Amino acid sequence: LCWQFFRVWMPKMLRAEYHYDANQVQYFSIAYYIAADVGCLSIGFLVKWLAGRGLSVHGARVTAFFACSLLTALSVVAAGLPASGLLLATLLAIGFGSLGQFPTYYAFTQELSARRMGNVTGVLSFLTWMVHALVQKPIGRWLDRTHDYAPVMFLAGLTPLIGLLAILLLWNSW
């Protein structure tokens, strides 16, 4: 939800709520996707580095996912910021973290079942896209009605913490 909210709604938010012009939003969107791609690639290197320093592979993945969750939780700060360089830098950090979660997510899904890896990943991906499909329309209605992006931005960045909590509480607990 975090990645999808910012990917879909951030350009409109920057125009409507923060009054950036179309060119500024376009250039910032390019920077946002670059930051997100760098986050995705960097997390793999971070996991490898942590595992090479003695942390278990699983521990390195959880640590990387935790770090990315902290970055996306910056949405709490971003929701209260005015249009500024600090807002844009915070959004870049959120982009880095939100796409940085994907490599560890896919690695975790592969560990759930070696025999049924495709089924597990497929079912979880399907469920994720169904949730996205169900929440986009209410988010759009909320934004059309209130023109207030802050509450949704606040919550969107916190959603990865639910996944982190599930990993910490449920992973191999049985």
Side-chain angles (χ1 to χ4, degrees), residues 106-107 109-123:
Y106 285 113
T109 63
Q110 292 172 20
E111 290 179 15
L112 288 174
S113 172
R115 285 188 37 221
R116 304 226 186 313
M117 181 179 69
N119 292 346
V120 169
T121 303
V123 167

Side-chain angles (χ1 to χ4, degrees), residues 10-154:
M10 186 183 60
K12 186 175 179 184
M13 175 184 70
L14 290 173
R15 294 287 314 270
E17 179 122 346
Y18 295 101
H19 309 293
Y20 286 100
D21 69 36
N23 284 336
Q24 291 171 315
V25 171
Q26 183 65 35
Y27 287 121
F28 179 75
S29 294
I30 293 167
Y32 181 82
Y33 281 104
I34 290 170
D37 288 344
V38 170
C40 189
L41 294 170
S42 298
I43 293 308
F45 293 117
L46 175 64
V47 169
K48 185 177 191 295
W49 184 81
L50 289 170
R53 300 293 177 281
L55 205 56
S56 70
V57 173
H58 179 75
R61 288 177 180 156
V62 171
T63 301
F65 194 86
F66 172 70
C68 288
S69 296
L70 289 179
L71 289 173
T72 63
L74 287 172
S75 66
V76 171
V77 174
L81 291 175
S84 62
L86 183 57
L87 170 70
L88 298 177
T90 304
L91 291 173
L92 292 176
I94 292 168
F96 182 102
S98 65
L99 202 56
Q101 293 163 344
F102 277 77
T104 51
Y105 163 75
Y106 285 113
F108 288 139
T109 63
Q110 292 172 20
E111 290 179 15
L112 288 174
S113 172
R115 285 188 37 221
R116 304 226 186 313
M117 181 179 69
N119 292 346
V120 169
T121 303
V123 167
L124 289 174
S125 296
F126 170 78
L127 292 173
T128 300
W129 280 106
M130 294 310 299
V131 169
H132 291 169
L134 293 172
V135 300
Q136 291 301 328
K137 197 170 192 174
I139 289 172
R141 274 189 291 224
W142 164 268
L143 296 174
D144 285 344
R145 193 176 79 250
T146 67
H147 305 286
D148 186 6
Y149 289 79
V152 185
M153 181 173 21
F154 183 98

